[in-house]
Amino acid sequence: MKPSKRWGMSLAVLLAVSLSLPAAWGQLRTRSGALTGILKDSIQHPKKLEELVFQLTNEARGKNGLPALEPDEALSEAARKYSDELLRGNFFSHKDLEGKGPQERMDEEQPARQGYAYRVGENIAAYSKLDYSDNQIMARMIMDGWMTSPGHRQNILNPRYTHLGLGVSVQGDQMRVTQEFARRIALQ
């Protein structure tokens, strides 16, 4: 076989193989397979990681003589939405692209729910180019980062907060994490 024909055959085989594997494009490489199948453009919300960070938050509070925070789905939805916004907008701030802080966002999104309002605090974190497949390690890394930062630690150990929502968003090799802390205030 002539070299040009061999080259053409090799190219055809390579093209056929690459076309038969479109789902593999953009996947995260993981050891455990926990996040395999994630396409680069889609945002995933790893629930297990959210649960572990929530658990570690309450463990930190318990070690400091504070009551556990109650889970709050409205806060979790707001936290996931904000983590998504941080990824899509490619920014990192407690103020969104319109200049609204966590209290303003919460008041706007969830006005006077079922006879109560929230007073909120927020922790955010950003990670890139890590292996996100080990939820235990990632949860510990997130919490260690927050507990060694005075402002974040203050939110976690604030005795006035009673509820917590947590949102983790992963897209490609990027991760954003948001904690929304709240104290419910009864409306009269």
Side-chain angles (χ1 to χ4, degrees), residues 32-129:
S32 70
L35 296 176
T36 57
I38 294 177
L39 297 177
K40 187 176 182 180
D41 293 334
S42 68
I43 294 178
Q44 302 296 309
H45 302 105
K47 300 283 188 204
K48 183 64 178 170
L49 181 54
E50 290 177 352
E51 291 168 4
L52 288 169
V53 173
F54 195 99
Q55 178 185 343
L56 291 173
T57 300
N58 278 332
E59 285 177 13
R61 288 175 63 85
K63 288 176 184 174
N64 286 276
L66 297 169
L69 298 167
E70 300 272 334
D72 186 295
E73 192 53 39
L75 291 171
S76 290
E77 287 175 25
R80 280 184 208 105
K81 181 178 176 183
Y82 196 59
S83 290
D84 288 356
E85 188 175 338
L86 292 170
L87 278 172
R88 286 189 186 109
N90 195 28
F91 71 102
F92 188 72
S93 173
H94 290 285
K95 292 200 180 272
D96 66 14
L97 294 175
E98 296 175 4
K100 296 176 191 161
Q103 186 67 56
E104 295 163 296
R105 291 192 312 270
M106 185 56 69
D107 290 345
E108 191 175 273
E109 289 180 23
Q110 306 287 333
R113 292 168 299 289
Q114 303 171 1
Y116 61 88
Y118 285 130
R119 290 296 163 252
V120 301
E122 180 178 79
N123 285 347
I124 57 176
Y127 299 93
S128 63
K129 299 181 180 163

Side-chain angles (χ1 to χ4, degrees), residues 11 21 35 48 50 85 87 96 138 140 143-144 151 154-156 158 177:
L11 187 58
L21 300 173
L35 296 176
K48 183 64 178 170
E50 290 177 352
E85 188 175 338
L87 278 172
D96 66 14
M138 287 307 303
R140 177 54 55 204
M143 282 302 296
D144 287 350
Q154 183 178 358
N155 277 339
I156 291 168
N158 187 326
V177 186

Side-chain angles (χ1 to χ4, degrees), residues 105-175:
R105 291 192 312 270
M106 185 56 69
D107 290 345
E108 191 175 273
E109 289 180 23
Q110 306 287 333
R113 292 168 299 289
Q114 303 171 1
Y116 61 88
Y118 285 130
R119 290 296 163 252
V120 301
E122 180 178 79
N123 285 347
I124 57 176
Y127 299 93
S128 63
K129 299 181 180 163
L130 298 175
D131 179 359
Y132 304 120
S133 65
D134 191 324
N135 289 323
Q136 295 283 342
I137 290 172
M138 287 307 303
R140 177 54 55 204
M141 188 168 64
I142 292 164
M143 282 302 296
D144 287 350
W146 282 334
M147 291 302 286
T148 57
S149 165
H152 295 105
R153 181 182 177 89
Q154 183 178 358
N155 277 339
I156 291 168
L157 301 180
N158 187 326
R160 300 182 111 195
Y161 292 139
T162 58
H163 293 78
L164 175 63
L166 207 123
V168 177
S169 299
V170 177
Q171 183 179 34
D173 67 354
Q174 300 293 310
M175 177 189 287

